[in-house]
Amino acid sequence: MLTLLYTRITELAASPRAVWWLIVVAVAESSVFPLPVDLMLVPMLLANRERAWFLAFVCTTASVVGGLIGWLLGAFLMKHIGMPIAHFYHADQRILNLEAMFRRYGVWIILAKGLTPLPYKFVTLAAGAAHFPLLPFIAASIVTRGARFFLEAALLRAFGEPIRDFIEKRLALVLFGALILIAGGIALIEFL
């Protein structure tokens, strides 16, 4: 199923309506969608490197809007929509743990998780469920999601195809490295 979704997303990235699809995928990825928006953003950046900054801006904006939807789902519909989403991804306990971490660490969770390709939807749902203040949530989401997408845009604009080859050939290694960094960051926060 994930392979079919990946194939379909890369096809959409090459379509004339790619920017609209990028918006849809970025909004959905931050609230309910199973795959990272990078699967669409990266091929779009490679296909049109001179539009890198525009695409990063669009992706950041749409991701923050999706994060706001996730926050609202968590804050007002966690029992009826948020937890079923978490349950679908077998992440019930992860959401509960994140909710508790929000109560303790707040904005640091958004900043740490928003940079990674790991599911941001869990952060948005947990932030809403914890009733984390909305304005700091939006501000941290803009910073962290913007940093991530503009960094991708800068790297792909500067280096192009070799970056894509590296990511595709070593995807598991890249994701594992990101996971280690996140786990280390959370452990550091836990012991501070």
Side-chain angles (χ1 to χ4, degrees), residues 38-174:
D38 313 80
L39 297 176
M40 183 148 200
L41 180 61
V42 169
M44 289 178 70
L45 290 168
L46 290 171
N48 201 345
R49 290 176 14 194
E50 61 277 356
R51 292 184 66 194
W53 307 128
F54 170 74
L55 294 171
F57 173 78
V58 167
C59 196
T60 300
T61 303
S63 182
V64 172
V65 168
L68 180 57
I69 292 168
W71 188 96
L72 292 168
L73 290 173
F76 301 109
L77 298 169
M78 190 62 174
K79 181 178 177 183
H80 301 290
I81 295 176
M83 284 312 284
I85 290 169
H87 183 72
F88 177 80
Y89 295 112
H90 306 288
D92 307 59
Q93 192 58 47
R94 182 184 296 175
I95 291 288
L96 296 173
N97 292 344
L98 276 171
E99 185 179 341
M101 290 176 76
F102 262 106
R103 295 185 201 290
R104 188 166 178 195
Y105 303 113
V107 75
W108 294 107
I109 300 300
I110 300 166
L111 293 173
K113 293 288 284 175
L115 288 170
T116 70
L118 296 174
Y120 192 58
K121 72 188 97 331
F122 300 145
V123 173
T124 67
L125 290 168
H131 294 280
F132 185 76
L134 193 55
L135 289 179
F137 171 80
I138 292 170
S141 293
I142 290 169
V143 168
T144 192
R145 299 306 269 180
R148 175 178 164 190
F149 299 133
F150 277 91
L151 177 61
E152 285 180 18
L155 289 172
L156 291 169
R157 187 166 195 236
F159 300 108
E161 202 61 39
I163 293 289
R164 181 181 185 170
D165 291 341
F166 176 82
I167 291 170
E168 287 182 356
K169 287 179 183 174
R170 295 170 183 86
L171 182 61
L173 181 63
V174 170

